[in-house]
């Protein structure tokens, strides 16, 4: 049985906590897209961790964690993260790195930074971790797979081919130093040695696990709005953030995904460029207060530390976000954060050129959308840690039902705090 945990919005919905929780009842947890450019926050008995590349089953000895072929693998960051968690007393995880995974290399990071510099004011707000150049190379068929590391002459040939192209760009478009093949080759071989113990046939492993009726969790990064096809183009990431992509990035059969848990937060937040449309945004002192109270330490990027833009819950974006994920159920996180408000606005529609709609529009129309809010009464109580939904204040229960009626999928999990057990099921 395969389940996917994915974001219904802009990312940072609290997927890490939900995956960590569900990993307890799983045999395999797989990252299937993205790279180390975003982070999941997990708080458990070992401490507080921001995982960037390791799957969220890392803290359970019974889980096999897989870095699937769809991931942008930054080996240095992986090795660093492994050292970091074992240094904090976590037992070394069971980990398989797919031999078909492609490598995110130093020139991807350089190219990302050079491109942002070139775009100056029109930059996309990239985290500059090389993700866009990495995926561009994959589709241009000049990526290097983990398995290439184990065939030195093939590796050198592929590297020479990439550098022919990169060096023209670096020299003539960006006016930066050229790259030398020898130094890179050396670096690649040392990376190979550091991941050798983990490299394996993830595709075969996953299919066998499914055959044996194991529970497999697909762990998404970012959220629907960041999908390069169905998201807010071009303010997206460069890999598909949708559960459906798990069939490619984790190599699970399409018919095997039985459950898609879309995660959404009781308010909205988004990292990225200020030019990105963010219809339900709250700015000024009200926004500052929501940002400060959000999450477990305020709404600041787990990887970059950048302040996130915040907004009220957006039913239009979330309904669309759940639809494109194929959500079978929804986890609503951070309900406890809203306990300070007398009244809580919820975005129920967009006004575009004088027309009101609840259908999430294409990017050019989204840029002109204005929020239509309805205001619900707040509950003005600290509900952190409540595990019984029926014991939540009536206003909090009504808030959840109000959202549920507008997003088209059942809210089965309500998270009332950052810790693993701060969960109320419905
Ligand atoms: P992810 O990338 O989707 O895993 O999300 P992040 O980890 O970046 O952001 C979610 C933030 O909210 C983290 O700081 C979590 O510890 C925190 N968090 C998750 N669920 C809850 C919750 O129910 N209440 C509160 N207050 N914080 C939560």
């Amino acid at each position: 049985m395969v389940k996917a945990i994915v974001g219904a919005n802009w990312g940072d919905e609290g997927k890490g906590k939900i995956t960590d929780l569900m990993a307890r009842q799983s045999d395999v947890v797989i990252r299937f897209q993205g790279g180390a450019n975003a982070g999941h926050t997990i708080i458990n008995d070992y401490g507080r961790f921001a995982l960037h590349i390791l799957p969220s089953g890392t803290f359970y000895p019974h889980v096999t964690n897989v870095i699937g072929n769809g991931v942008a693998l930054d080996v240095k960051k992986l090795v660093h993260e492994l050292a970091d968690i074992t240094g904090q007393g976590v037992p070394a995880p069971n980990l398989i790195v797919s031999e078909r995974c492609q490598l995110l290399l130093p020139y991807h990071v350089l190219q990302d930074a050079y491109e942002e510099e070139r775009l100056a004011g029109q930059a996309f707000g990239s985290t500059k971790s090389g993700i866009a150049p990495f995926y561009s190379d994959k589709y241009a068929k000049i990526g290097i797979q983990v398995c290439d590391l184990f065939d030195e002459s093939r590796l050198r040939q592929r590297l020479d081919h990439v550098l022919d192209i990169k060096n023209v760009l670096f020299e003539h478009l960006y006016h930066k130093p050229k790259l030398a093949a020898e130094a890179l080759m050396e670096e690649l071989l040392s990376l190979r040695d550091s991941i050798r113990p983990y490299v394996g046939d993830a595709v075969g492993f996953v299919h066998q696990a499914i055959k044996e009726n194991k529970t497999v969790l697909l762990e998404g990064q970012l959220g629907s709005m960041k999908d390069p096809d169905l998201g807010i183009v071009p303010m997206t990431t460069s890999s598909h953030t949708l559960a459906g992509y798990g069939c490619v990035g984790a190599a699970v059969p399409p018919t095997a995904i039985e459950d898609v848990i879309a995660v959404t937060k009781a308010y909205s937040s988004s990292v990225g460029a200020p030019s990105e449309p963010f219809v339900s945004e709250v700015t000024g002192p009200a926004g500052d207060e929501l940002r400060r109270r959000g999450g477990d330490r305020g709404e600041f990027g787990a990887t970059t530390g950048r302040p996130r833009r915040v907004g009220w819950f957006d039913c239009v974006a979330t309904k669309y976000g759940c639809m494109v994920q194929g959500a079978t159920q929804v986890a609503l996180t951070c309900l406890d954060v809203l306990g300070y408000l007398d009244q809580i606005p919820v975005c129920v529609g967009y006004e575009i050129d004088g027309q009101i709609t609840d259908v999430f529009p294409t990017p050019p129309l989204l840029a002109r959308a204005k929020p239509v809010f309805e205001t619900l009464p707040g509950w003005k109580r600290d509900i952190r840690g409540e595990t019984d939904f029926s014991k939540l204040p009536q206003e909090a229960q009504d808030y959840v039902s109000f959202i549920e009626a507008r997003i088209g999928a059942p809210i089965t999990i309500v998270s009332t705090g950052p810790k693993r057990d701060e969960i109320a099921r419905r």
Side-chain angles (χ1 to χ4, degrees):
M1 142 86 143
V2 182
K3 300 179 186 197
I5 299 181
V6 286
N9 302 117
W10 298 263
D12 307 316
E13 298 93 345
K15 296 176 295 295
K17 168 177 167 170
I18 304 297
T19 315
D20 178 55
L21 182 80
M22 304 207 55
R24 200 185 308 191
Q25 285 106 31
S26 305
D27 304 296
V28 182
V29 178
I30 314 180
R31 280 281 313 264
F32 63 94
Q33 45 89 213
N37 53 329
H40 290 310
T41 311
I42 295 180
I43 298 168
N44 56 28
D45 298 342
Y46 295 107
R48 181 185 194 276
F49 300 88
L51 294 185
H52 303 291
I53 186 85
L54 281 169
S56 295
T58 289
F59 301 99
Y60 295 101
H62 71 276
V63 170
T64 303
N65 293 279
V66 177
I67 297 184
N69 54 277
V71 168
L73 179 65
D74 185 330
V75 177
K76 267 199 217 155
K77 286 199 178 151
L78 171 64
V79 170
H80 196 266
E81 203 161 289
L82 278 168
D84 207 40
I85 61 156
T86 49
Q88 290 186 65
V90 181
N94 302 314
L95 178 67
I96 300 176
V97 174
S98 172
E99 59 200 355
R100 294 179 190 274
C101 211
Q102 297 199 10
L103 299 169
L104 187 136
L105 292 168
Y107 52 76
H108 293 126
V109 182
L110 287 173
Q111 191 177 338
D112 208 348
Y114 296 163
E115 182 62 11
E116 286 278 304
E117 195 181 312
R118 190 181 73 86
L119 290 172
Q122 286 140 26
F124 290 112
S126 159
T127 54
K128 301 193 189 73
S129 39
I131 300 295
F134 167 89
Y135 282 105
S136 308
D137 283 3
K138 182 185 238 191
Y139 294 108
K141 298 169 283 187
I142 55 169
I144 293 178
Q145 287 185 302
V146 167
C147 51
D148 293 330
L149 293 173
F150 299 91
D151 181 333
E152 285 182 34
S153 69
R154 180 183 162 94
L155 178 64
R156 178 63 200 245
Q157 239 177 14
R158 293 194 58 74
L159 198 59
D160 285 339
H161 179 56
V162 183
L163 292 194
D164 282 346
I165 300 167
K166 294 288 171 203
N167 279 337
V168 173
L169 274 181
F170 281 23
E171 194 179 6
H172 298 289
L173 180 63
Y174 301 124
H175 311 292
K176 300 286 182 189
K178 291 207 280 187
L179 301 159
E182 287 71 27
L184 260 171
M185 192 70 191
E186 219 166 275
E187 184 167 356
L188 285 173
L189 295 181
S190 91
L191 293 179
R192 174 185 70 186
D193 296 337
S194 57
I195 54 163
R196 192 191 290 272
Y198 306 110
V199 174
D201 172 15
V203 178
F205 173 81
V206 169
H207 279 262
Q208 187 58 33
I210 293 171
K211 222 180 252 165
E212 289 170 9
N213 284 325
K214 298 262 167 72
T215 301
V216 176
L217 261 196
L218 303 182
E219 173 173 25
Q221 185 215 32
L222 295 167
S224 303
M225 302 298 140
K226 297 284 177 188
D227 184 79
D229 271 59
L230 299 182
I232 306 172
V233 177
M235 304 303 193
T236 63
T237 191
S238 305
S239 69
H240 295 288
T241 54
L242 305 179
Y245 187 68
C247 302
V248 180
V252 300
T255 46
I257 305 178
E258 289 177 34
D259 202 3
V260 177
I261 301 146
V263 185
T264 185
K265 210 154 47 179
Y267 53 92
S268 303
S269 75
S270 170
V271 277
S275 55
E276 178 175 328
F278 188 31
V279 180
S280 68
E281 182 166 23
V282 201
T283 53
D288 291 341
E289 174 147 38
L290 182 54
R291 183 177 307 102
R292 187 170 56 73
R293 291 175 176 270
D296 77 313
R297 290 191 178 174
E299 290 292 347
F300 299 92
T303 303
T304 56
R306 286 199 291 218
R308 295 173 182 152
R309 294 165 72 189
V310 291
W312 303 120
F313 189 86
D314 184 336
C315 297
V316 182
T318 309
K319 181 179 171 192
Y320 175 80
C322 288
M323 179 176 78
V324 296
Q325 291 289 10
T328 52
Q329 42 176 327
V330 173
L332 182 75
T333 66
C334 294
L335 189 65
D336 53 299
V337 169
L338 301 181
Y340 72 98
L341 292 158
D342 291 320
Q343 296 203 309
I344 312 176
V346 176
C347 176
V348 294
Y350 291 173
E351 191 193 319
I352 304 169
D353 302 335
Q355 305 270 5
I356 292 177
T357 179
D358 66 354
V359 176
F360 191 72
T362 55
L365 293 177
L366 184 68
R368 304 208 292 274
K370 304 210 167 37
V372 177
F373 288 116
E374 264 186 51
T375 303
L376 304 193
W379 45 94
K380 295 291 283 177
R381 238 180 67 190
D382 183 6
I383 58 164
R384 189 173 272 207
E386 181 55 66
T387 54
D388 183 346
F389 187 79
S390 68
K391 290 205 178 122
L392 287 173
Q394 193 56 47
E395 294 85 354
Q397 295 189 35
D398 291 347
Y399 183 80
V400 176
S401 304
F402 181 91
I403 286 173
E404 183 177 59
R406 283 160 186 78
I407 61 171
I411 298 174
T412 54
I413 298 171
V414 175
S415 174
T416 56
K419 300 214 182 97
R420 198 179 260 177
D421 297 314
E422 293 175 326
I423 280 282
R425 297 193 187 260
R426 284 174 91 218

